[in-house]
Amino acid sequence: MEERKGFGSNFGFLMAAVGSAVGLGNIWGFPNKMGANGGFTFLIIYLILAAICGFIVMLGELAIGRKTGAGAIKAYKVLSKKFKWVGWLGVASAFFILSFYCALGGYCIKYVVLNFGNLINAGFGSNGLSGADVFGGFMTNQLEGVIFGLIFVAITMIIVMGGVGGGIEKVCSVGMPALFVMLVICIVRVLTLENAVDGLKYMFVPGWAVANGVIEEAPNLFSVISTAGGQMFFSLSIGMGAMITYGSYLNKKENLEKNALIIVIMDTLIALCAGLCVIPARFALDPTGKLGGPSLLFVTMQNVFDRMGSVGPIFGIIFYLLVVFAAISSSISLLETVVAHFVDKAQDEGKGDKRKSYSLITTIFVAILCVIVCLDGLGSNGVWVPFQHLFAPDAIPTFCDCWLDFFDCISEGIMMPLGGLLMTLMLGWETGPDLVKEESEQEGNKMKSFGYFKFCVKFITPLCMALILYGQLKDFFGGLFV
Ligand code: PHE
């Protein structure tokens, strides 16, 4: 049997794993959710959840992956009788996330091009239109949406075809440090704008958003916890098998515990840094602009660049390039989660490394879903969405108000927290947490946090995750079923 090729170095692994974690979720989700949910209070709750759930699931997944040396589907099959199907849940989540992630990644590429157009005063720039008009026009231009979406899908495929060491690791080892430098450049520019400090107050000062009318009322503690929990899952790329897959390519001599901790910390730090860039920019230059979701990225931020004067397009290009990098390093991990399974299977059956063919086949399916999301244009074009017809037009719940939300709710809202919950139940109660200890202590490493890990994985983490899942269901379905 051919040898399974993995990461060339621990740095490469870290950049790929942090790259998977750092993505659109960090840029538009974290800073806004923090501001709207009590600022510093949210941060503290997020950090506690990251410690008792995020770190535990991250370490658990890396260990499962490295122990079995296989992608999510085979890993669960090898380890468990009761939970052997959980890997499939992960692969299905990866598909659904990819559908809208690639569409949004395509939008980011479009915005790099748009700002370039503004820089050289070409017809493909904003042509004097406001951020909202440009975005509205783009959303209803189905052909353009599909073309950019497919460009993003194709880039993702090409990198994954290159393999883990050759494609993913190389791209992330350059892309992630570059992303960080671009982020710092943007932060420095933004924080020196007048009124930028209001953005900092929005993000960090508890109660500021309510006192200043940015949001109507403070959410209750339960909803803050479930928002923070949902954000954490998506942001850390856990609960669906991406980290199992990356872990399976890691050398046995590397320290799993330390790596898990670094990934969680880096992801949170970069989310905070992204916040230091986008939120103050909105308060300084587009005080009525939306604070989260696609509109924050594509309307509010474009208005910000339009109002920066002649340097605006340059910062626009840097900023959207940074977002493209963040999105690509995440989408390749999603695609790899699916492709790894088929490549492993082919190798087990002695058919050799069929990575290129399987990457292509998987990508075709992803492309189909992505095209649906692009054609829908965030609901602008009224493409039929499942279940939507069951509701009156003014009572459509979030889970089916457009294709993006539909795929997002199934994957991020249900499958990921459910996958995380099942994983901890398996580790805590079926295989036993010793599995993680043994794997972490390969080649003389010591697992310092074992007592803590054991207690969390058995009791605390599953309990928190059940709560998060309940909160997410309630949020998404708007009290429909729960
Ligand atoms: N973590 C990514 C983000 O924050 C999204 C993602 C989820 C990537 C799951 C891979 C797996 O945007």
Side-chain angles (χ1 to χ4, degrees):
M1 204 168 78
E2 261 182 72
E3 207 201 324
R4 205 164 173 268
K5 296 187 199 82
F7 290 104
S9 71
N10 199 53
F11 176 78
F13 161 76
L14 269 178
M15 288 301 104
V18 172
S20 167
V22 171
L24 298 171
N26 300 56
I27 297 168
W28 81 41
F30 186 88
N32 174 46
K33 287 182 185 155
M34 187 171 155
N37 286 276
F40 222 78
T41 325
F42 176 90
L43 181 61
I44 303 290
I45 293 177
Y46 186 93
L47 292 177
I48 295 175
L49 284 175
I52 60 180
C53 294
F55 169 72
I56 303 293
V57 179
M58 178 70 71
L59 179 54
E61 289 198 359
L62 293 179
I64 289 177
R66 199 174 70 174
K67 180 175 173 66
T68 56
I73 294 180
K74 187 173 160 196
Y76 279 102
K77 235 192 243 160
V78 170
L79 292 179
S80 165
K81 280 205 172 64
K82 294 195 191 93
F83 297 91
K84 58 172 181 243
W85 50 276
V86 176
W88 283 103
L89 190 71
V91 168
S93 327
F95 254 112
F96 292 131
I97 300 174
L98 271 168
S99 69
F100 65 87
Y101 221 81
C102 290
L104 294 166
Y107 296 0
C108 299
I109 299 180
K110 148 90 187 173
Y111 271 68
V112 175
V113 176
L114 180 90
N115 280 278
F116 185 65
N118 289 344
L119 183 70
I120 60 169
N121 265 325
F124 54 89
S126 306
N127 295 317
L129 295 174
S130 71
D133 287 342
V134 172
F135 191 56
F138 177 47
M139 285 298 93
T140 47
N141 187 340
Q142 292 175 306
L143 180 66
E144 213 188 349
V146 169
I147 291 176
F148 280 107
L150 291 181
I151 293 177
F152 189 89
V153 171
I155 299 175
T156 306
M157 178 187 76
I158 291 168
I159 300 173
V160 172
M161 275 184 173
V164 175
I168 298 176
E169 180 171 1
K170 281 214 178 94
V171 170
C172 293
S173 301
V174 179
M176 291 315 288
L179 175 150
F180 196 71
V181 173
M182 291 192 267
L183 193 56
V184 172
I185 296 176
C186 290
I187 295 175
V188 171
R189 170 69 276 226
V190 165
L191 289 184
T192 47
L193 291 168
E194 210 178 325
N195 292 336
V197 69
D198 280 351
L200 299 183
K201 289 187 193 150
Y202 170 77
M203 270 178 75
F204 292 102
V205 179
W208 190 90
V210 184
N212 289 274
V214 186
I215 56 168
E216 269 169 29
E217 56 179 325
N220 66 34
L221 187 66
F222 179 67
S223 116
V224 175
I225 296 178
S226 82
T227 310
Q231 170 65 26
M232 183 197 70
F233 259 91
F234 189 71
S235 187
L236 288 176
S237 312
I238 50 181
M240 43 70 68
M243 291 299 167
I244 297 185
T245 311
Y246 275 6
S248 74
Y249 296 114
L250 186 62
N251 195 301
K252 293 273 183 200
K253 71 175 193 295
E254 308 301 351
N255 187 327
L256 287 183
E257 194 183 31
K258 210 158 101 196
N259 279 329
L261 193 65
I262 295 177
I263 301 168
V264 176
I265 293 176
M266 291 285 284
D267 182 64
T268 312
L269 276 180
I270 296 188
L272 279 169
C273 289
L276 294 183
C277 169
V278 293
I279 304 288
R282 179 272 189 193
F283 278 90
L285 293 178
D286 189 14
T288 52
K290 281 242 169 69
L291 277 158
S295 314
L296 167 73
L297 265 193
F298 302 114
V299 179
T300 311
M301 288 309 283
Q302 188 53 43
N303 281 336
V304 164
F305 300 122
D306 289 344
R307 288 172 198 165
M308 271 188 180
S310 56
V311 291
I314 297 178
F315 280 101
I317 294 173
I318 299 178
F319 175 78
Y320 288 111
L321 259 185
L322 162 179
V323 188
V324 170
F325 277 175
I328 286 185
S329 58
S330 298
S331 68
I332 51 182
S333 72
L334 287 159
L335 189 62
E336 178 62 28
T337 306
V338 185
V339 171
H341 166 66
F342 294 104
V343 171
D344 283 351
K345 200 158 165 255
Q347 277 188 342
D348 285 352
E349 290 165 1
K351 292 189 197 147
D353 183 43
K354 292 234 176 207
R355 173 169 283 275
K356 287 206 168 64
S357 330
Y358 284 120
S359 304
L360 181 68
I361 298 168
T362 316
T363 304
I364 293 173
F365 286 102
V366 169
I368 295 172
L369 297 188
C370 170
V371 166
I372 299 177
V373 176
C374 292
L375 287 175
D376 187 37
L378 295 179
S380 310
N381 306 313
V383 175
W384 182 84
V385 184
F387 308 115
Q388 201 180 47
H389 59 289
L390 299 177
F391 303 91
D394 54 351
I396 293 174
T398 13
F399 82 91
C400 59
D401 64 1
C402 67
W403 274 99
L404 187 148
D405 286 338
F406 180 69
F407 286 138
D408 185 26
C409 289
I410 318 183
S411 51
E412 182 187 349
I414 305 173
M415 290 175 152
M416 287 176 86
L418 183 63
L421 173 63
L422 294 169
M423 193 224 66
T424 47
L425 289 177
M426 178 186 90
L427 278 185
W429 299 97
E430 193 187 2
T431 65
D434 285 348
L435 179 151
V436 175
K437 183 173 159 67
E438 272 160 34
E439 190 52 39
S440 300
E441 299 200 333
Q442 297 278 335
E443 309 219 359
N445 287 313
K446 268 264 145 293
M447 181 170 173
K448 296 192 194 100
S449 63
F450 182 61
Y452 170 74
F453 179 86
K454 187 171 169 179
F455 183 64
C456 285
V457 85
K458 273 179 170 285
F459 306 105
I460 310 271
T461 319
L463 198 75
C464 285
M465 270 175 339
L467 274 179
I468 294 168
L469 182 61
Y470 170 73
Q472 287 276 313
L473 286 170
K474 213 166 136 190
D475 266 8
F476 277 128
F477 298 113
L480 204 63
F481 303 128
V482 257

